[in-house]
Amino acid sequence: MEKNDSKEILFSILGIFILVILVIGISFAAFSFSQTGEKTNTITTGTISMTYSEQDNGINLVNALPITDEQGKVLSGTNNVFDFTVTSTINGNNSVTVSYAITAVSSNSTVDDSAIKIYLTNMDDNADSEILAPTKISSLTTTTGNEAYKAPSGEFILSSGTMNSSSSHKYRLRMWVADDYTDATGGSYALKVNVYGAAAAL
């Protein structure tokens, strides 16, 4: 009889011990599950930059005579072409999109915008491929100030688009007096080229 009592006591103690272990294990599991993280999660932004470099050459239209588009498209040399390079650098974020525009502003000109034609080409690998066909400056679209590339209003748009990777492009600008211009009083026309770019909000 004492042996049976001893066994019951032993089983009771063993049962209580197992129950205590289970309660501690469950409590520990619940505690482990609800603990807060200790590592700081960070987001590192990439870098976006654009550079615009002008060559020493420029276009000088003073008392120039009207010419045809065929003649204007092959102009070359000093005072006939304006070369510039636009470089974009996008690091650290492959999903970013940059909107950009190449614009022009007339300044101190005595000849009307409708008398001048402009022609823009891409000179990467000396290709001289057409971007903007010969167009009268008066016919170009002007910026409103609300475009994604953040240009001020009132500038003539020569080219615009988007990019999502680092790149560098060479451009050549030509301009000439349109062959339908008949004013014989002469004059001059000056144009400044600008480049704008802005990243879209993520």
Side-chain angles (χ1 to χ4, degrees), residues 50 84 86 98-104 120 131-132 140-143 147-151 155-163 171 194-197:
M50 292 186 74
F84 61 97
V86 178
V98 174
S99 298
Y100 71 92
I102 301 170
T103 68
L120 182 67
I131 294 175
L132 174 68
L140 292 170
T141 302
T142 56
T143 56
E147 292 87 0
Y149 40 78
K150 308 295 183 187
E155 298 195 8
F156 298 111
I157 301 172
L158 307 184
S159 179
S160 64
T162 59
M163 62 183 75
Y171 298 93
N194 299 319
V195 177
Y196 300 95

Side-chain angles (χ1 to χ4, degrees), residues 6 75 108 149 163:
S6 296
L75 286 171
N108 301 319
Y149 40 78
M163 62 183 75

Side-chain angles (χ1 to χ4, degrees), residues 44-113:
T44 303
T45 61
T47 58
I48 302 169
S49 64
M50 292 186 74
T51 58
Y52 166 48
S53 61
E54 302 169 319
Q55 304 297 322
D56 290 336
N57 61 331
I59 301 173
N60 185 15
L61 289 184
V62 179
N63 296 324
L65 297 174
I67 59 174
T68 65
D69 289 352
E70 289 70 24
Q71 293 171 310
K73 289 171 69 173
V74 295
L75 286 171
S76 63
T78 305
N79 291 332
N80 289 319
V81 299
F82 174 64
D83 293 332
F84 61 97
T85 302
V86 178
T87 302
S88 65
T89 304
I90 302 174
N91 292 321
N93 193 334
N94 293 329
S95 62
V96 72
T97 298
V98 174
S99 298
Y100 71 92
I102 301 170
T103 68
V105 180
S106 172
S107 61
N108 301 319
S109 298
T110 60
V111 176
D112 192 76
D113 293 335

